[in-house]
Amino acid sequence: MGSMSVSSTPTSNDACLSIVHSLMCHRQGGESESFSKRAIESLVKKLKEKKDELDSLITAVTTNGAHPSKCVTIQRTLDGRLQVAGRKGFPHVIYARLWRWPDLHKNELKHVKYCQFAFDLKCDSVCVNPYHYERVASPGIGPSAGLLVKEEFEGQTSHSSADGSHSIQTIQHQPASSHPAPPTSTRPALPDTFSSPALLPPPDATSSRSLSLSLPAPDYWCSIAYFEMDVQVGETFKVPSSCPVVTVDGYVDPSGGDRFCLGQLSNVHRTEAIERARLHIGKGVQLECKGEGDVWVRCLSDHAVFVQSYYLDREAGRAPGDAVHKIYPSAYIKVFDLRQCHRQMQQQAATAQAAAAAQAAAVAGNIPGPGSVGGIAPAISLSAAAGIGVDDLRRLCILRMSFVKGWGPDYPRQSIKETPCWIEIHLHRALQLLDEVLHTMPIADPQPLD
């Protein structure tokens, strides 16, 4: 009888299907069944040639970490992330969520001492053994870090349609304190209201070092265009660098300097639904430029605003453009990081250049070996990498924000261009850096392969 129960746990010699089936029984249910299955199948196939590692994975997962197990490694990709079912995420986070903590935030993982290929060690291989990591409170946000991270990144309302095909997700960002703000009349000046230590930006070791810029700071730190559905309404509003804090609200006062009032803009195509939504913009949002060009948002409206932010996507362990962030009234949150944006530009431009060169060689008939594509992992095909154009890089320098109405799978609107009132914010310092990057690494506009 004893041998029966042992043999019901597969080994690396069994068929992939039965191994996947066994590992599926131990998932924590945070992801849809189809996403979990794709993630596990992909991992088992990668380990089929490394039997001892596959056995380590099976042991670790089926015994819930009761037995010590070796590293379980996969190849590190160029940007460190893994694509599964159209979604990208950090591999150790994906599998730790799958088998251990469904609500895990990526900054909460710390590897155990004996893990030789932990994600943070930056080796060519990455260990995805979920029992080689421990969960800790997110670093760098002060004493209430755990609480803040929970409020900002849990409560992920939608995990996708049942088949896992739609990957966009709404991620909720609550205010750090649940106490309602005092009425306006008694409210002290804004900086004091929000002086709770939990709200200070995490100390960034590199923030004191300037980005080496040969260019003077731009006269305007951002420009804001207002849209109703897919139509721009009114002129683009430029915010001078002398006004690091700008308010965008729904009132009818004249705009100027540090205030963009949307109430007074007229649009002949405006429908009743848009008119209704505009009434709820109210006090709107405050955008604040900090340091060399990081951007924070404070929601002053009585209604949430919905933001597209690659920085927040990355913080939540999502692929860029893979999430919509719901920012609740009186929440104050960082939505853009200039350094991270700069690094991403450089990475993507380098990827596009390497891929274009490899593609040109392939067209010429000198097909390089699989290892020579400038380190581009199979997750991103040659043509996709060579297809990174200037527009993709410009997108890194843009924030989009919808008032009152959300979009994505939780809402009837699939894209921000279907929401009644939204703004697009172009960040000039980031666009300036992009010009510099493109001067050093010019990338051709994508050429279709014949």
Side-chain angles (χ1 to χ4, degrees):
M1 193 58 198
S3 64
M4 261 303 287
S5 60
V6 172
S7 64
S8 65
T9 301
T11 70
S12 57
N13 295 319
D14 285 295
C16 281
L17 207 62
S18 52
I19 298 174
V20 170
H21 178 76
S22 170
L23 295 176
M24 280 289 282
C25 298
H26 293 269
R27 68 194 183 92
Q28 295 299 304
E31 296 286 1
S32 69
E33 187 169 352
S34 68
F35 178 86
S36 307
K37 193 160 181 232
R38 294 273 286 279
I40 295 173
E41 275 171 353
S42 139
L43 181 56
V44 170
K45 281 181 185 150
K46 287 182 181 131
L47 298 173
K48 221 28 189 155
E49 301 304 308
K50 301 191 278 189
K51 292 198 182 304
D52 54 335
E53 293 191 23
L54 183 49
D55 280 324
S56 277
L57 175 72
I58 295 168
T59 303
V61 172
T62 56
T63 66
N64 297 329
H67 294 296
S69 51
K70 295 203 283 260
C71 284
V72 175
T73 62
I74 59 174
Q75 185 72 37
R76 181 183 288 271
T77 59
L78 190 70
D79 68 354
R81 291 173 309 163
L82 179 70
Q83 181 147 342
V84 177
R87 260 168 54 184
K88 282 181 102 172
F90 295 106
H92 62 313
V93 178
I94 291 176
Y95 294 107
R97 273 186 193 146
L98 203 68
W99 284 307
R100 294 192 71 184
W101 306 286
D103 60 350
L104 178 73
H105 172 248
K106 76 172 172 71
N107 288 353
E108 296 177 301
L109 278 188
K110 179 168 153 255
H111 60 271
V112 295
K113 283 196 294 289
Y114 50 83
C115 181
Q116 296 170 298
F117 294 97
F119 183 80
D120 291 336
L121 298 178
K122 305 269 192 287
C123 307
D124 287 344
S125 298
V126 179
C127 177
V128 293
N129 183 336
Y131 291 94
H132 275 203
Y133 294 89
E134 290 165 348
R135 188 174 188 176
V136 293
S138 182
I141 319 186
S144 57
L147 165 81
L148 194 69
V149 165
K150 273 193 166 47
E151 288 185 328
E152 286 189 357
F153 293 109
E154 286 176 9
Q156 304 193 345
T157 50
S158 141
H159 264 288
S160 63
S161 54
D163 67 346
S165 60
H166 204 317
S167 57
I168 291 189
Q169 185 180 40
T170 308
I171 296 176
Q172 307 189 350
H173 302 265
Q174 306 273 3
S177 148
S178 49
H179 307 304
T184 319
S185 54
T186 60
R187 186 180 292 187
L190 269 177
D192 301 342
T193 320
F194 293 90
S195 60
S196 139
L199 290 177
L200 295 172
D204 176 354
T206 56
S207 59
S208 54
R209 288 208 314 269
S210 287
L211 284 164
S212 57
L213 279 179
S214 52
L215 306 160
D219 294 339
Y220 298 94
W221 71 266
C222 75
S223 49
I224 307 170
Y226 168 66
F227 292 83
E228 294 176 358
M229 314 291 273
D230 57 355
V231 175
Q232 182 175 347
V233 176
E235 300 285 312
T236 297
F237 182 79
K238 288 181 168 176
V239 185
S241 294
S242 56
C243 301
V245 179
V246 61
T247 306
V248 183
D249 61 38
Y251 299 121
V252 294
D253 303 336
S255 297
D258 62 355
R259 189 166 171 215
F260 184 18
C261 297
L262 306 178
Q264 39 91 18
L265 299 175
S266 56
N267 171 13
V268 292
H269 303 292
R270 188 172 292 154
T271 62
E272 214 173 308
I274 294 175
E275 199 67 81
R276 272 199 308 276
R278 277 169 52 85
L279 294 176
H280 294 291
I281 296 173
K283 292 180 182 160
V285 294
Q286 224 171 36
L287 304 170
E288 182 174 357
C289 181
K290 286 192 175 185
E292 293 170 290
D294 295 351
V295 180
W296 289 64
V297 165
R298 179 175 277 130
C299 178
L300 303 176
S301 170
D302 296 336
H303 293 266
V305 292
F306 296 82
V307 177
Q308 186 180 57
S309 150
Y310 288 175
Y311 168 77
L312 285 178
D313 293 345
R314 215 180 165 88
E315 286 299 290
R318 310 291 306 204
D322 213 7
V324 177
H325 300 270
K326 181 175 186 178
I327 298 184
Y328 282 84
S330 75
Y332 177 57
I333 191 162
K334 183 175 179 177
V335 291
F336 179 80
D337 183 292
L338 187 69
R339 285 172 177 284
Q340 188 204 70
C341 176
H342 189 226
R343 277 197 304 272
Q344 261 180 303
M345 284 172 196
Q346 289 173 314
Q347 251 178 3
Q348 289 195 14
T351 304
Q353 259 197 331
Q359 202 181 50
V363 171
N366 327 325
I367 303 200
S372 59
V373 190
I376 294 161
I380 173 166
S381 68
L382 250 190
S383 55
I388 295 174
V390 177
D391 279 352
D392 297 289
L393 294 175
R394 279 180 66 83
R395 240 171 253 142
L396 299 172
C397 312
I398 294 172
L399 293 166
R400 288 174 156 187
M401 190 179 300
S402 166
F403 294 97
V404 191
K405 301 290 184 186
W407 76 95
D410 298 338
Y411 299 92
R413 299 160 292 275
Q414 283 314 296
S415 124
I416 195 169
K417 292 184 175 178
E418 295 168 37
T419 63
C421 35
W422 59 281
I423 52 176
E424 184 170 88
I425 302 142
H426 289 240
L427 302 170
H428 294 187
R429 189 52 151 178
L431 288 162
Q432 216 178 28
L433 285 179
L434 177 58
D435 276 345
E436 269 206 336
V437 168
L438 291 174
H439 272 299
T440 53
M441 287 187 274
I443 59 176
D445 269 327
Q447 298 300 317
L449 264 182
D450 298 330

